[in-house]
Coordinates of all heavy atoms in Angstrom, one line a residue:
Y1186 N 53.8 72.5 -32.0 CA 53.1 71.4 -32.7 C 51.7 71.9 -33.1 O 50.9 72.3 -32.2 CB 53.0 70.2 -31.8 CG 54.3 69.5 -31.6 CD1 55.1 69.7 -30.4 CD2 54.8 68.7 -32.6 CE1 56.3 69.1 -30.3 CE2 56.1 68.1 -32.5 CZ 56.8 68.3 -31.3 OH 58.0 67.7 -31.2
A1187 N 51.3 71.8 -34.3 CA 50.0 72.3 -34.8 C 49.0 71.2 -34.9 O 47.9 71.4 -35.3 CB 50.2 72.9 -36.2
R1188 N 49.4 69.9 -34.6 CA 48.5 68.8 -34.6 C 48.8 68.0 -33.4 O 49.9 67.6 -33.1 CB 48.6 68.0 -35.9 CG 47.4 67.0 -36.0 CD 47.9 65.6 -36.3 NE 48.6 65.0 -35.1 CZ 49.2 63.8 -35.1 NH1 49.1 63.0 -36.1 NH2 49.8 63.4 -34.0
V1189 N 47.7 67.6 -32.6 CA 47.9 66.9 -31.4 C 47.0 65.7 -31.4 O 45.8 65.7 -31.9 CB 47.6 67.7 -30.2 CG1 47.5 66.9 -28.9 CG2 48.6 68.9 -30.0
K1190 N 47.5 64.5 -31.0 CA 46.8 63.3 -30.8 C 46.8 63.0 -29.4 O 47.8 63.1 -28.7 CB 47.4 62.2 -31.6 CG 46.9 60.8 -31.3 CD 47.4 59.8 -32.3 CE 48.1 58.6 -31.7 NZ 48.6 57.6 -32.7
I1191 N 45.6 62.7 -28.8 CA 45.6 62.3 -27.4 C 45.1 60.8 -27.4 O 44.3 60.3 -28.2 CB 44.7 63.2 -26.5 CG1 43.2 63.1 -26.9 CG2 45.2 64.6 -26.5 CD1 42.2 63.7 -25.9
K1192 N 45.7 60.1 -26.4 CA 45.3 58.7 -26.2 C 44.1 58.6 -25.3 O 43.9 59.4 -24.4 CB 46.5 58.0 -25.5 CG 47.7 57.8 -26.3 CD 47.5 56.8 -27.5 CE 48.8 56.5 -28.2 NZ 48.6 55.5 -29.2
I1193 N 43.2 57.7 -25.7 CA 41.9 57.6 -24.8 C 41.8 56.1 -24.4 O 42.3 55.2 -25.0 CB 40.7 58.1 -25.6 CG1 40.5 57.3 -26.9 CG2 40.7 59.6 -25.8 CD1 39.1 57.5 -27.5
K1194 N 41.0 55.9 -23.4 CA 40.6 54.6 -22.9 C 39.3 54.7 -22.2 O 38.9 55.8 -21.9 CB 41.7 54.0 -22.1 CG 41.9 54.7 -20.7 CD 42.9 53.9 -19.8 CE 43.1 54.6 -18.5 NZ 44.0 53.9 -17.6
P1195 N 38.6 53.6 -22.0 CA 37.3 53.7 -21.3 C 37.4 54.5 -20.0 O 38.3 54.2 -19.2 CB 36.9 52.3 -21.1 CG 37.5 51.5 -22.2 CD 38.8 52.2 -22.4
G1196 N 36.6 55.4 -19.8 CA 36.6 56.3 -18.5 C 37.5 57.5 -18.7 O 37.4 58.4 -17.9
R1197 N 38.3 57.5 -19.8 CA 39.2 58.7 -20.0 C 39.1 59.0 -21.5 O 40.1 59.0 -22.2 CB 40.6 58.4 -19.7 CG 40.9 58.2 -18.2 CD 40.5 59.4 -17.4 NE 41.3 60.6 -17.8 CZ 42.6 60.8 -17.4 NH1 43.2 59.9 -16.6 NH2 43.2 61.8 -17.9
D1198 N 37.9 59.3 -22.0 CA 37.7 59.6 -23.4 C 37.0 60.9 -23.7 O 37.7 61.9 -23.9 CB 36.9 58.4 -24.1 CG 35.8 57.9 -23.2 OD1 35.1 58.7 -22.6 OD2 35.7 56.6 -23.1
V1199 N 35.7 61.0 -23.6 CA 35.0 62.2 -24.0 C 35.4 63.4 -23.1 O 35.6 64.5 -23.6 CB 33.4 61.9 -23.9 CG1 32.7 63.2 -24.1 CG2 33.0 60.9 -24.9
E1200 N 35.5 63.2 -21.8 CA 35.8 64.3 -20.9 C 37.2 64.8 -21.2 O 37.4 66.1 -21.3 CB 35.8 63.8 -19.4 CG 35.8 64.9 -18.4 CD 36.1 64.4 -17.0 OE1 35.7 63.3 -16.7 OE2 36.7 65.2 -16.3
D1201 N 38.2 64.0 -21.5 CA 39.6 64.4 -21.8 C 39.5 65.2 -23.1 O 40.1 66.3 -23.2 CB 40.5 63.2 -21.9 CG 41.1 62.7 -20.6 OD1 40.4 63.0 -19.6 OD2 42.1 62.1 -20.6
A1202 N 38.9 64.6 -24.1 CA 38.9 65.2 -25.5 C 38.2 66.5 -25.4 O 38.6 67.5 -26.1 CB 38.3 64.2 -26.5
S1203 N 37.1 66.6 -24.7 CA 36.3 67.8 -24.6 C 37.1 68.9 -23.9 O 37.0 70.1 -24.3 CB 35.0 67.6 -23.8 OG 34.2 66.6 -24.4
A1204 N 37.8 68.5 -22.9 CA 38.6 69.5 -22.1 C 39.7 70.2 -23.1 O 39.9 71.4 -23.1 CB 39.3 68.9 -20.9
V1205 N 40.3 69.3 -23.9 CA 41.3 69.8 -24.8 C 40.7 70.7 -25.9 O 41.2 71.8 -26.2 CB 42.1 68.7 -25.4 CG1 43.1 69.2 -26.5 CG2 42.9 67.9 -24.4
R1206 N 39.6 70.2 -26.4 CA 38.9 71.0 -27.4 C 38.4 72.4 -26.9 O 38.5 73.4 -27.6 CB 37.7 70.2 -28.0 CG 36.8 70.9 -29.0 CD 37.6 71.5 -30.1 NE 38.0 70.7 -31.2 CZ 39.1 70.7 -31.9 NH1 40.0 71.6 -31.6 NH2 39.3 69.9 -32.9
Q1207 N 37.9 72.4 -25.7 CA 37.4 73.6 -25.1 C 38.6 74.7 -25.0 O 38.4 75.8 -25.3 CB 36.8 73.4 -23.7 CG 36.0 74.6 -23.3 CD 35.2 74.2 -22.0 OE1 35.2 73.1 -21.5 NE2 34.5 75.2 -21.4
E1208 N 39.7 74.2 -24.6 CA 40.9 75.1 -24.4 C 41.5 75.5 -25.8 O 42.0 76.6 -25.9 CB 42.0 74.3 -23.6 CG 43.1 75.2 -23.1 CD 42.7 76.1 -22.0 OE1 41.6 75.9 -21.4 OE2 43.5 77.1 -21.7
F1209 N 41.4 74.6 -26.8 CA 42.0 74.8 -28.1 C 41.0 74.6 -29.2 O 41.0 73.6 -29.9 CB 43.2 73.9 -28.3 CG 44.3 74.0 -27.3 CD1 44.3 73.1 -26.2 CD2 45.2 75.1 -27.4 CE1 45.3 73.3 -25.3 CE2 46.2 75.2 -26.4 CZ 46.3 74.3 -25.4
P1210 N 40.1 75.6 -29.4 CA 38.9 75.4 -30.3 C 39.4 75.2 -31.8 O 38.7 74.5 -32.5 CB 38.2 76.8 -30.2 CG 38.7 77.4 -29.0 CD 40.1 76.9 -28.8
N1211 N 40.6 75.6 -32.2 CA 41.0 75.5 -33.6 C 42.1 74.5 -33.8 O 42.6 74.4 -34.9 CB 41.4 76.8 -34.1 CG 40.2 77.8 -34.0 OD1 39.1 77.5 -34.4 ND2 40.5 79.0 -33.5
L1212 N 42.5 73.8 -32.7 CA 43.7 72.9 -32.9 C 43.3 71.7 -33.7 O 42.2 71.1 -33.6 CB 44.1 72.4 -31.5 CG 45.2 71.4 -31.4 CD1 46.5 72.0 -31.8 CD2 45.4 70.9 -29.9
R1213 N 44.2 71.2 -34.6 CA 44.0 70.0 -35.3 C 44.2 68.8 -34.3 O 45.3 68.6 -33.8 CB 45.0 69.9 -36.5 CG 44.9 71.0 -37.5 CD 45.8 70.9 -38.6 NE 45.2 70.0 -39.7 CZ 45.8 69.5 -40.7 NH1 47.1 69.8 -40.9 NH2 45.2 68.8 -41.6
L1214 N 43.1 68.2 -33.9 CA 43.1 67.3 -32.8 C 42.5 65.9 -33.2 O 41.6 65.9 -34.0 CB 42.2 67.9 -31.7 CG 42.0 67.1 -30.4 CD1 43.4 67.0 -29.6 CD2 41.0 67.8 -29.5
Q1215 N 43.1 64.8 -32.8 CA 42.6 63.5 -33.0 C 42.8 62.6 -31.8 O 43.6 63.0 -30.9 CB 43.3 62.9 -34.3 CG 44.8 62.8 -34.2 CD 45.5 62.5 -35.5 OE1 45.4 63.3 -36.4 NE2 46.2 61.4 -35.6
V1216 N 42.1 61.5 -31.8 CA 42.2 60.6 -30.6 C 42.6 59.2 -31.1 O 42.4 58.8 -32.2 CB 40.9 60.5 -29.8 CG1 40.5 61.9 -29.2 CG2 39.8 60.0 -30.7
D1217 N 43.3 58.4 -30.2 CA 43.7 57.1 -30.5 C 43.3 56.2 -29.3 O 43.8 56.4 -28.2 CB 45.2 57.0 -30.7 CG 45.7 55.7 -31.2 OD1 44.9 54.7 -31.3 OD2 46.9 55.5 -31.4
A1218 N 42.5 55.1 -29.6 CA 42.0 54.3 -28.5 C 42.8 53.0 -28.4 O 42.6 52.2 -27.4 CB 40.5 53.9 -28.7
N1219 N 43.7 52.7 -29.3 CA 44.4 51.4 -29.3 C 43.6 50.2 -28.9 O 43.9 49.5 -28.0 CB 45.7 51.5 -28.3 CG 46.8 52.4 -28.9 OD1 47.0 53.5 -28.4 ND2 47.4 52.0 -29.9
S1220 N 42.5 50.1 -29.6 CA 41.6 48.9 -29.5 C 40.9 48.7 -28.2 O 40.6 47.6 -27.8 CB 42.4 47.6 -29.8 OG 43.2 47.7 -30.9
A1221 N 40.6 49.8 -27.5 CA 40.1 49.6 -26.1 C 38.6 49.5 -26.0 O 38.0 49.3 -24.9 CB 40.5 50.8 -25.3
Y1222 N 37.9 49.5 -27.1 CA 36.4 49.5 -27.1 C 35.8 48.4 -27.9 O 36.5 47.8 -28.7 CB 35.8 50.9 -27.6 CG 36.3 52.1 -26.8 CD1 37.5 52.7 -27.1 CD2 35.5 52.5 -25.7 CE1 37.9 53.8 -26.3 CE2 35.9 53.6 -25.0 CZ 37.1 54.2 -25.3 OH 37.6 55.3 -24.5
T1223 N 34.5 48.2 -27.7 CA 33.8 47.2 -28.6 C 32.6 48.0 -29.2 O 32.4 49.2 -28.9 CB 33.1 46.1 -27.8 OG1 32.1 46.6 -27.0 CG2 34.2 45.4 -26.9
L1224 N 32.0 47.4 -30.2 CA 30.9 48.1 -31.0 C 29.8 48.5 -30.0 O 29.2 49.5 -30.3 CB 30.4 47.1 -32.0 CG 29.5 47.7 -33.1 CD1 30.2 48.8 -33.8 CD2 29.2 46.6 -34.1

Side-chain angles (χ1 to χ4, degrees):
Y1186 290 101
R1188 191 232 65 180
V1189 171
K1190 163 169 130 180
I1191 64 167
K1192 293 287 188 178
I1193 59 168
K1194 67 176 182 181
R1197 293 299 302 279
D1198 38 44
V1199 172
E1200 196 194 327
D1201 276 25
S1203 302
V1205 175
R1206 175 50 85 215
Q1207 194 171 356
E1208 190 74 15
F1209 303 97
N1211 301 316
L1212 180 65
R1213 301 184 83 189
L1214 182 65
Q1215 59 195 59
V1216 297
D1217 186 0
N1219 287 108
S1220 310
Y1222 299 87
T1223 70
L1224 194 54

